[in-house]
Structures are given as structure tokens and as C-alpha cells.
Amino acid sequence: MVAVVALAGCGSRRDYEEFVAANTAGGVAVEQTDGGMVAAPGSAGGAAAASGAVPAGTSTARGSAGSATAPAVSAGKSPQGTAPRPDPAAGAAASGKSCAISGSTITIGNIATQSGFLGELFNGLPEALQVWVKAANACGGLGGHPVRLISADDGGDPAVALTLARRLVEKEGAIAFVGLANPLSVQGVASYLKDEGIPAIGGESSSTVYYTNPVFFPIGPHAAVIGGATADVAIKRGAKKLAVYYCIEVPNSCGPPGAAKDLAVGSPAIKRIGGEVVISQPASVAAPSYTSQCIAAKRAGVDGIIVILDGPSIGRFAGNCEAQDYHPKFIGISLGVSRTLPEYPQLNKDNFFAPSIVFPWMDRSLPATRAYSDAAIRYFGRPIVGPSPAMAWASGVLAQEATKGGLPANPTPADMLKAMYTVKNTNLGGLTSPLTFTTQLPRVMTSCYFVLGLSNKQYLAPEGAKCVPVDIRYP
């Protein structure tokens, strides 16, 4: 087993330890061992862990969702005193939603790449899942059942991912997975989940498997649509002559099979929406410099560079171009939007944008988007920054939407799978593009995207919570 998920990745160990400390006063007990998983059970899940359901070698965070509040603070304030702490149960009662939990505890799994060179992409994801579990268990869990969630880090290794999936299903009794985030290794679990009939709900959705495997239920449009959306973002901001550089490390997500599908030189799809791709080439996140790419783009008259790389690579790319006195607009993808990106001064000039498959995490214009930030303050003590945590939250909300009609007394994977097909024409209150699941494959999703921006070291939502339509299709 690889490192404990909530303790892996840049900066996440501190966050997790602070999260545990902030909740200990509310009844969360913590057992730390050298295993490869962490359980975030919320209410009755704590009882399951305490009774021995989590084996030796697994880290757990246990407690009661009803009592798992932060330490005592001034009335109406968060631990930092920066925002009110809402009562999720009271809010649900006001809307007429039942918060009763009466069923047996159900176990949900999660596998995410929290270490290795892609680890930074998913910082904050396990914390967001823990927040979701606490918020869900404070009001109905899943279909009236309290949730015990176990998350694991596969390090980007397909073989490790399969080992973890088998353990979560066969040893821990997971009946579904929520928020998978392992683009390098998702193929390692795809066939197993299909054979076992275990649904994978939401997730980062960049790989084709999310749209062609009947047990996968993506949270938004295919990577090819988001790839085309990067051009749409640039064109709508006046950059119409485009260069595209896509990562070689994750070809199924970044390259021609995925995000770069419609981003070839002379692409008719991009011409149809008003732009022109004049350069389209692979690049590596490990490249020491992108100076040659900057020079080539400058000579070609490019005014918008689509950089399908990770956050640090985008930052270095912009720095290399500025050194050449070249100042195009930079367009990334949401997986490249990291906590470190605002640290690059070359990207803090209203010149960086990115499409996202889920809502901008900083938006509070809708009840559903406010619920996310309020829950983070209530259960984590501060906002959780980044599109990956927002994706994890939306994935959990999707599971709640699917099970709102209730689940049997002792739910099985088949019950969860059946529930997913009850999802019809919902955007989860504005968290996603409209979602409808049928048995048709490949899955056809609505082609729209949310917009992220960066200015003065702060992420922005230039279009608010609007899902912007784009004339790009998959398949």
C-alpha cells in the first residue's frame, strides 16, 4: 500500500492534521498506523470502524456527524472568525428535505493519485470528501444510510489501483466509488468495477473510460469537449490565433485521444467557433524550459497559448515567454489549476483562464455553491481551494441526488447502480452541466463548461456559476 491518502501530496499533511485537530473536540477519534487508506466515516461510520470493520494498517478518523463540529468559538463564527457557520440540518429542514438517518452504515470507496508527479493536481480532494461525508451524514447520508468513506492513494500505478479497489470492495464492503481521481491508473480498475457491477460516481472524468464503461457516471463533458472549450475561452477573450501544447505523460487525457482531439492544426471544429490552431505539439511536464515553444508561437503570431500541462509547468511556460517579451493569453485546463499557480507573477495579469467541468469553488451566488463553501468552513475551518476538491464535492452530491428516493435496508452495488439511472436532467443546483444517465454508450453529456480566472494572486469566476455552452461534441 502507498502513503495514506490524506497525508500525501504537497501540503496536505498539515491540512489533514489541522482538520483532525479541529474536529477532535467534537468527538472525532483518530488512529494513525502505517496503512494505505484513511476512513472518513462521519456519524455511524465511526461505529463501524470502532467495531473492527477497518483492519489493522488502516488510518481512520471517526466521530458523529451530529457532534463533529469545530472547537468552541464565538457564536456564529468559523474557527478563524471569518464566516458564519450554518446548520446543515436546519437548512435542510427549511427546504422540506428529510434529514433522518435510520438505515445501516454503507461503505463508499475513493481512489485518487495523491503522490507522484500528478499528486499536486488533487491536493485538497481527500479533505473535500471528508467534508462531504460529514455534511451528508448531518442530513440523511445516502438514501437514509450513514456513510463510511475510505479513500486510498494509488500513486498513479494501475496495479496498485486494482489492489486497492479489490481490498475496498472485498474486505471493506464498498458498494460504490465516489470522486475517482487517477487519470494514469483508472484503467487498472475499470474492468474490475465493470465485472463486479460497482458504480464509479463522478470523478475527474478526463479519461474515455468514464463515457464507455457502463458502471462509470461522469460529472461533466468528455476531455475532448473541455479541450475545445479551452479554445472557446481564448476566442471569447480576443485570442483567435492559437498554439496548443499538450502533455505526453497522460496521452488518454491530454493528447489527441482526449483533450487535444479537436485541437489539431487547422481544426475545423475550432474554425467553426471563430479561431485557428496554427501550432499543436506534445510537451512534457518534466521539460526544463519552454523557451523554444514560446519563440515558435511568437514568430507564428499566436495570441493565445493553450497549455494542457500541470500548474507548475504552466507557470514556467508563462515565465519563459515573458523572458522573450512575449505576452499572449494562457489557457489551461482545470486539472492544471493548482494552489501554487497564483504564485507566478506572469499569470496574475488577467491573462490566465481555464474551463472546468464543475462549478468555480469560490462562487457563492447559488444555494448549492454556498453549501460547499459553508460546509468547508464548518467542518474544515477554511475554504478548500481548487477544482479537484470541488469535483469531489459535486461527485458526492451526485450520489446523494441518485439516492434521494431511498435505498433498501442493506444496499448492494446493484442498488447503487440502479439508483444512478434515476438521475435525469439535473445540474445539482448549478454544480455541474445538466446530467442524465441512460444505458446508451458512449455517454453523451451536455457540452458546456465553467470558467476560472486568475488576477492579483486570486482565483476568480469570470462567468460566475454559469455553464457556458460550446459547440464541441463527443463522441
Side-chain angles (χ1 to χ4, degrees):
M1 295 297 173
V2 289
V4 175
V5 64
L7 306 184
C10 219
S12 62
R13 181 182 184 91
R14 181 197 64 199
D15 285 345
Y16 179 66
E17 290 174 344
E18 290 178 356
F19 179 70
V20 170
N23 283 279
T24 300
V28 175
V30 179
E31 295 176 0
Q32 296 280 349
T33 58
D34 61 352
M37 300 181 184
V38 56
S43 63
S51 68
V54 180
T58 299
S59 294
T60 67
R62 307 198 296 260
S64 166
S67 62
T69 57
V73 294
S74 300
K77 297 293 184 180
S78 74
Q80 281 83 21
T82 57
R85 287 172 48 207
D87 183 342
S95 67
K97 178 181 177 182
S98 171
C99 285
I101 288 184
S102 58
S104 58
T105 297
I106 58 177
T107 297
I108 302 296
N110 168 263
I111 299 174
T113 298
Q114 285 293 302
S115 57
F117 83 94
L118 289 188
E120 185 192 14
L121 301 183
F122 304 112
N123 274 339
L125 184 146
E127 290 83 7
L129 283 173
Q130 292 170 14
V131 166
W132 168 69
V133 168
K134 288 179 177 294
N137 283 348
C139 192
L142 289 183
H145 295 260
V147 176
R148 168 182 177 248
L149 184 139
I150 305 177
S151 189
D153 171 19
D154 67 10
D157 186 326
V160 172
L162 177 58
T163 297
L164 291 169
R166 293 181 66 94
R167 179 178 174 186
L168 286 166
V169 172
E170 297 167 19
K171 302 293 185 182
E172 303 296 339
I175 63 171
F177 284 76
V178 168
L180 291 180
N182 51 345
L184 285 177
S185 48
V186 67
Q187 291 291 352
V189 303
S191 294
Y192 173 73
L193 296 183
K194 179 181 177 182
D195 291 344
E196 297 296 320
I198 311 289
I201 302 170
E204 50 89 17
S205 304
S206 70
S207 302
T208 302
V209 65
Y210 283 89
Y211 307 87
T212 58
N213 188 314
V215 301
F216 278 66
F217 298 87
I219 202 75
H222 186 268
V225 173
I226 296 301
T230 60
D232 195 61
V233 170
I235 293 163
K236 282 183 167 61
R237 284 154 183 82
K240 298 185 178 182
K241 201 168 186 178
L242 307 173
V244 181
Y245 296 99
Y246 51 88
C247 68
I248 61 175
E249 284 81 6
V250 195
N252 286 334
S253 298
C254 298
K261 175 178 179 289
D262 288 315
L263 296 176
V265 172
S267 166
I270 303 309
K271 287 183 178 179
R272 186 175 65 245
I273 60 176
E276 180 185 11
V277 178
V278 297
I279 297 174
S280 185
Q281 297 176 353
S284 173
V285 298
S289 170
Y290 301 104
T291 297
S292 62
Q293 287 92 338
C294 292
I295 292 172
K298 183 178 182 180
R299 288 176 176 171
V302 166
D303 50 12
I305 297 183
I306 296 171
V307 192
I308 307 176
L309 299 171
D310 66 338
S313 299
I314 295 171
R316 290 188 292 116
F317 209 120
N320 293 156
C321 288
E322 186 168 278
Q324 300 300 314
D325 194 26
Y326 176 42
H327 308 282
K329 284 189 168 56
F330 289 91
I331 314 297
I333 56 172
S334 62
L335 288 183
V337 174
S338 66
R339 289 188 290 187
T340 61
L341 211 55
E343 299 171 6
Y344 294 90
Q346 301 87 357
L347 293 174
N348 278 273
K349 302 175 181 179
D350 297 309
N351 64 336
F352 175 82
F353 303 91
S356 174
I357 65 171
V358 296
F359 68 105
W361 68 90
M362 76 297 292
D363 181 81
R364 289 180 55 83
S365 64
L366 302 173
T369 59
R370 286 197 300 276
Y372 172 62
S373 55
D374 286 348
I377 293 296
R378 178 178 178 84
Y379 296 115
F380 187 60
R382 62 176 180 270
I384 305 178
V385 175
S388 293
M391 174 277 294
W393 173 269
S395 298
V397 174
L398 174 57
Q400 289 175 276
E401 172 68 18
T403 58
K404 66 182 181 181
L407 290 169
N410 294 291
T412 65
D415 295 319
M416 289 297 296
L417 198 60
K418 180 181 179 180
M420 291 309 301
Y421 287 107
T422 68
V423 175
K424 305 293 182 186
N425 195 31
T426 177
N427 64 2
L428 305 179
L431 301 183
T432 67
S433 59
L435 303 175
T436 294
F437 296 117
T438 71
T439 56
Q440 176 186 350
L441 293 175
R443 300 202 187 280
V444 178
M445 315 296 288
T446 300
S447 293
C448 67
Y449 63 92
F450 301 88
V451 183
L452 307 174
L454 181 60
S455 181
N456 297 321
K457 295 188 175 182
Q458 290 188 332
Y459 281 113
L460 308 171
E463 302 283 348
K466 177 184 178 183
C467 200
V468 180
V470 60
D471 188 16
I472 301 290
R473 295 288 182 267
Y474 172 84

